[in-house]
Amino acid sequence: MKNLRSVKFNDAIAAAFLAGCLALSGLAGAAPASPTLIGRAVLPADTFAEGPTSGQFITGNTNGRETPFYAAQPVQGFSAVLAGRKRGTYLVMSDNGFGAKANSADYVLRIYGVEPDFREGKVYPVDLRSGLRLASFSRESFLEISDPKRLTGFPIVAEQSFYPNGAGGIAVDPAIADGRLLTGADFDLESFRRARDNSFWFGEEFGPFLLHTDSKGRMLDEPIPLPNFKQLGVNSFVQSPDNPFLAAPELANLPRSRGFEGMALNASRTKLYAMLEGPLTADPDRSRLLIHEFDLHGKRYTGKVFHYRMEHPTGEGQAIGDLTAINDHEFLVIERDGRQGDPNNPAFTDPARFKRIYKIDIGKIDPDGFVEKRLLVDLLNISDPGNVGGNGTRNGIFTFPFVTIESVLPVGSRTLLVINDNNYPFSVGRTPGQPDDNEFILVRLAEPLHLRSCGGRGHGSPHPCD
């Protein structure tokens, strides 16, 4: 049998794979006029890695899953993806854990190494350093975010004797305390990028903050706050109700869970573009999101702010899921509603209605001051002539109907990797009554993107930047 680890899903492989799908469906020779599904790999919802007991502050039975998870951490909640050290492997970042600051104090912030095998339809754990497959999500498959130099500036879970908000007075796990590991009650990481020196930059929601760590996940700088450049409201910084430095509740000028959901690194690898998930509370335009430019060399915001127009106001649950660079001025944005469930499945009475990927150009501003925006993929209407999508496909159409879709990465000029955030064990978008799996899909675009390679990566990354 062919060594499947060597399969490279660049544009040439993607084109060949699509041709095979079309041949199987009797449509060989037909050119797809719309985005087409060419690969799907699934990591089961009930996937765990070794670690401290987690889920101790989730109340009740959720979708048939009993908590806590003894001596284990769910491998879930993927909010960002980067290329791995071996072609075809990836680094995926989990968010704060169980969706809230109050219930995630025992969830350790981690980056995992994975290899989606689109021939087998499975996702395997890999060694972070070598990219080789592992039998399980053992310690070689992940790195943990920590604060050994005490840079956070506020008391973290690791410094406390007992977990906060724990009714039973549960002692903090020694692994968290001894390693000064950061948890989902400290930060809510939603995006990350890798700089030229292999250090990591994270976009975070509780602050919102930018965080900077070394290649082993150890904090290098204090959390960097976001100045209120638009001077909306009285606060000089943008702060959510979960910000640990918030002087008074009434000074919060950003809703909870609306911080840096997306963050891109330009192809020149000189600037970050950090995008808020929701509008500031004092902004009368409820469909406007702000993108802030950050200079990596000076480790400071430049003051340049771009405006993004959502298709619907936030009152309808509208939000963004990711921001990823194509080149120095074009980016991909995931925009979605707050619903879940396949609209083609009658079992869902209020299904997903809006899950899309747009291309924006910050070098082109419309007369109203917003960046140019063009639809690339409707994730609820992806052509699947080869029935690649399995239970996600009905009548030749594949849907990606999850409440949160937070990772997109170009793996070629015409191929996108997209991953959902399954919010384990809460989200139910695919099968009623069952927590969602982590699904990795490959989407073939109708037209190529103008990718600019970062170069000098040493691992053959086909996409523009990390």
Side-chain angles (χ1 to χ4, degrees), residues 78-81 321-322 324 334 405-409 417-420:
F78 300 151
S79 289
V81 59
D322 201 8
T324 300
I334 298 176
I405 305 167
E406 300 184 352
S407 302
V408 60
L409 181 71
L417 172 67
V418 186
I419 311 170
N420 67 309

Side-chain angles (χ1 to χ4, degrees), residues 12 14 23 29 66 99 119 162 171 196 260-261 271 277 344 384 400 408 429 447:
E66 295 286 349
R119 301 284 184 178
F162 299 93
R196 288 186 185 276
F260 288 141
E261 186 66 39
K271 293 181 175 64
E277 186 177 4
N344 299 315
D384 185 12
F400 212 53
V408 60
E447 299 177 359

Side-chain angles (χ1 to χ4, degrees), residues 54-62 65 67-69 98 102-103 106 424-426:
S54 60
Q56 296 171 97
F57 312 112
I58 299 176
T59 57
N61 179 298
T62 302
R65 271 51 180 183
T67 56
F69 309 116
F98 304 113
N103 66 6
D106 57 8
Y424 183 83
F426 300 107

